[in-house]
Amino acid sequence: MSNRKWNIGIAILFIIFASLLLSFLLSTIRIRELLQPILSDETSQEAARHVILIAQELENPYWRSIEQGAREASAKYGMQLEYAGPLRINPDEQIKLLEKAIAAKADAVLVQGINDPQYVDLIDQAVSQGIAIITVDTDEPDSRRLSYVGTDNLDAGKVMGGLVAKAAGKRGSVAVLIGNEQAPNQQLRLKGLRTVIGQYPELSLVDVRSSNISRLQAAGAAEELLIQYPHIDFMVGLSALDGIGIAEAAERIQRSGIKIFAFDALEETLTHIRSGKINSTIVQQPYDMGYEAVSQLNNHFRGETLPGRHFTKINILDQHTLINETGETSP
Ligand code: BGC
């Protein structure tokens, strides 16, 4: 064969080879493009961190707000949120739910502090296993939790003391409903309240009863207090349903002239403020607590060191601020 024929043959073979290679490369790219959405979906599902929020009480509207905030932040950061909690306040069940979350190897758990040594051990165990723990609403400061997101409860108690002292003109008798005797957030609020009341010799705190964070029990305990101490001028509820329960009791036994101070901004509390049955309320930000706690988790997973505490804001609502802020008219 002549040299020329050889060259033509090699050139033809080269062209065939090059076009085969090109079409192979093009189809690989095409296949990759087609698979991309499926692959990235699988990776993101694999990477979706499993976060469990354990409430103090599952259907409590205050905890449902925390859940809502946590859910929205989880959606934003591609995490998968599971909401759990006892049907009625039950710290033993909160402990069991934390045990279950650890056994399920959750990536993170948001818990309420309950001031219990067994619970502290569990938090520490979870953290040593690489499970991120953040306390919400109530801190567990002796544990190795990464951060606390919630109200500065001691300060909130002092603010409440200031409201009562101002309304009392520094003189009078105060009775208190506390959500739960063991709950550290309630104890801190009570401590703050006592500190301020203690500064006025003619202002006295006559009794403290527990509502077990139940509206029904709050109404029952308030009624007992009002009957036992007919001279009470002021009643304070330190958890979300207490003020509503106190208002119900005062109405039931037709005790007018009593000034009621509440916590949180449940719809019924606002209705009672509008109608003047409740004097004012200290509003916490449960939605923000949930949202911020999950945002902090996201920072942690990105390798950031979290602040030991992240206080959410409180503000005071009374008839005047409600009317000014919403343009409502006085009832
Ligand atoms: C407290 C929560 C509690 C809720 C009960 C809130 O004021 O911060 O700890 O679970 O009231 O209704």
Side-chain angles (χ1 to χ4, degrees):
M1 222 190 295
S2 70
N3 253 358
R4 193 162 172 265
K5 278 188 181 160
W6 267 110
N7 286 345
I8 292 173
I10 288 169
I12 290 172
L13 276 177
F14 179 76
I15 289 167
I16 292 172
F17 177 74
S19 51
L20 279 176
L21 188 68
L22 188 69
S23 76
F24 172 74
L25 283 176
L26 287 175
S27 53
T28 313
I29 290 168
R30 181 78 193 118
I31 289 169
R32 208 169 260 206
E33 273 172 10
L34 287 173
L35 283 178
Q36 192 58 38
I38 303 167
L39 287 175
S40 64
D41 203 39
E42 269 176 11
T43 5
S44 68
Q45 269 176 20
E46 249 170 46
R49 314 248 190 199
H50 181 201
V51 181
I52 304 180
L53 163 63
I54 303 176
Q56 183 177 34
E57 197 176 74
L58 200 69
E59 292 306 334
N60 189 298
Y62 173 90
W63 282 94
R64 282 289 183 189
S65 297
I66 297 185
E67 181 210 359
Q68 205 191 335
R71 229 171 246 301
E72 282 181 28
S74 300
K76 178 174 172 191
Y77 295 115
M79 298 183 204
Q80 183 216 332
L81 185 86
E82 189 185 331
Y83 179 61
L87 284 176
R88 269 297 285 136
I89 179 173
N90 184 343
D92 288 342
E93 208 178 320
Q94 281 173 273
I95 296 176
K96 287 203 184 92
L97 286 167
L98 178 55
E99 269 168 354
K100 262 178 78 180
I102 296 171
K105 297 193 167 37
D107 293 293
V109 193
L110 306 178
V111 295
Q112 183 202 32
I114 57 171
N115 189 24
D116 180 292
Q118 191 189 347
Y119 199 63
V120 170
D121 285 349
L122 276 176
I123 293 177
D124 293 355
Q125 185 188 320
V127 172
S128 63
Q129 289 177 23
I131 301 174
I133 305 273
I134 290 185
T135 46
V136 284
D137 173 69
T138 310
D139 200 5
E140 196 68 82
D142 294 334
S143 71
R144 289 176 55 207
R145 94 289 184 267
L146 302 178
S147 187
Y148 162 65
V149 179
T151 299
D152 179 343
N153 285 298
L154 182 65
D155 177 63
K158 288 183 186 164
V159 172
M160 179 59 92
L163 288 177
V164 176
K166 190 169 168 207
K170 299 166 188 161
R171 175 176 302 127
S173 301
V174 189
V176 176
L177 281 192
I178 187 168
N180 178 265
E181 303 276 356
Q182 274 75 50
N185 65 343
Q186 300 292 297
Q187 288 298 341
L188 283 169
R189 288 175 202 175
L190 185 59
K191 189 174 167 192
L193 177 68
R194 279 192 199 281
T195 311
V196 176
I197 289 184
Q199 290 164 6
Y200 302 99
E202 290 180 76
L203 196 57
S204 62
L205 201 163
V206 293
D207 209 341
V208 181
R209 300 269 165 92
S210 167
S211 67
N212 230 351
I213 65 163
S214 142
R215 178 210 167 120
L216 208 71
Q217 289 184 43
E223 191 173 326
E224 280 171 26
L225 284 167
L226 288 167
I227 292 169
Q228 188 176 344
Y229 304 100
H231 63 286
I232 289 175
D233 312 287
F234 308 99
M235 284 199 76
V236 175
L238 291 179
S239 73
L241 293 156
D242 299 343
I244 303 168
I246 299 169
E248 192 180 310
E251 191 159 296
R252 203 153 63 200
I253 64 166
Q254 302 194 341
R255 200 47 211 283
S256 56
I258 185 132
K259 289 205 165 96
I260 303 171
F261 299 85
F263 252 86
D264 303 305
L266 301 185
E267 210 35 63
E268 213 176 331
T269 306
L270 300 185
T271 306
H272 286 331
I273 289 179
R274 285 185 194 102
S275 68
K277 283 187 198 159
I278 292 183
N279 226 61
S280 54
T281 190
I282 294 186
V283 182
Q284 301 186 86
Q285 307 298 332
Y287 175 94
D288 290 356
M289 290 178 202
Y291 196 97
E292 188 55 40
V294 172
S295 306
Q296 293 290 336
L297 280 180
N298 184 55
N299 292 343
H300 166 73
F301 292 136
R302 284 172 30 201
E304 287 177 29
T305 307
L306 304 188
R309 290 184 305 187
H310 178 101
F311 288 139
T312 46
K313 280 193 260 166
I314 53 166
N315 62 294
I316 300 159
L317 274 186
D318 56 20
Q319 211 179 44
H320 178 76
T321 41
L322 259 183
I323 290 165
N324 279 350
E325 277 169 19
T326 60
E328 291 176 25
T329 47
S330 201

